[in-house]
């Protein structure tokens, strides 16, 4: 029973950077792993990154490794996605979400409490 609100999306040129934020409110946050998914037009929603409940471990889809960094501030109940060296294929609506499963899942069905999404557009 956590509510999530994403922000920070926008229009950026190839090679640029954006930082997405996800503000959480409600019953819980600090005990749950958090993730980011994205969905491009005409494509299925896909896993992007996840961070363990205590911030000690992270996971990234291969296509963003070395470019994106996920982090969290449990005191502020916020999770971040720093996106560098952006490519046109990163264009999508990005969604923040929470997991109640043990660490390591990349399955959309293992996450709940989705945010409303924030649009990221990368232009040439």
């Amino acid at each position: 029973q956590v509510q999530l609100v994403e922000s920070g999306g926008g229009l950026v040129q190839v090679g640029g950077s954006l930082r997405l934020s996800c503000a959480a409110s409600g019953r819980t946050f600090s005990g749950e792993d958090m993730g980011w998914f994205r969905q491009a037009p005409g494509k299925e929603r896909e896993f992007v990154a996840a961070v363990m409940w205590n911030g000690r471990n992270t996971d990234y889809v291969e296509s963003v490794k070395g470019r994106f960094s996920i982090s969290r501030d449990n005191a502020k109940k916020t999770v971040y996605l720093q996106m560098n060296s952006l490519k046109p294929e990163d264009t999508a609506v990005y969604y923040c979400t929470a997991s109640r499963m043990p660490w390591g899942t990349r399955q959309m069905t293992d996450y709940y409490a989705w945010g409303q999404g924030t649009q990221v557009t990368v232009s040439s």
Side-chain angles (χ1 to χ4, degrees):
Q1 195 68 39
V2 59
Q3 293 78 50
L4 306 172
V5 179
E6 302 96 334
S7 62
L11 176 64
V12 64
Q13 292 183 324
V14 170
S17 298
L18 286 172
R19 189 181 76 161
L20 307 184
S21 298
C22 174
S25 62
R27 192 175 69 181
T28 188
F29 175 77
S30 61
E32 297 179 334
D33 304 332
M34 300 292 295
W36 289 92
F37 283 69
R38 66 187 180 186
Q39 187 166 20
K43 300 182 66 176
E44 296 182 359
R45 192 171 298 187
E46 67 170 345
F47 172 84
V48 177
V51 57
M52 188 176 282
W53 66 273
N54 59 7
R56 290 186 175 271
N57 206 358
T58 57
D59 185 31
Y60 302 92
V61 67
E62 187 67 26
S63 61
V64 309
K65 284 184 177 179
R67 300 189 298 119
F68 290 12
S69 296
I70 187 171
S71 61
R72 65 191 298 163
D73 186 335
N74 286 352
K76 296 183 177 180
K77 302 183 70 174
T78 303
V79 61
Y80 306 96
L81 185 68
Q82 178 67 48
M83 306 185 296
N84 300 321
S85 301
L86 283 162
K87 304 175 180 180
E89 51 263 44
D90 296 319
T91 296
V93 177
Y94 284 71
Y95 297 90
C96 177
T97 186
S99 174
R100 288 180 172 147
M101 300 295 292
W103 172 252
T105 183
R106 293 186 174 191
Q107 302 297 316
M108 186 177 66
T109 54
D110 291 335
Y111 289 83
Y112 78 106
W114 297 88
Q116 85 289 349
T118 185
Q119 176 71 50
V120 172
T121 303
V122 184
S123 63
S124 301

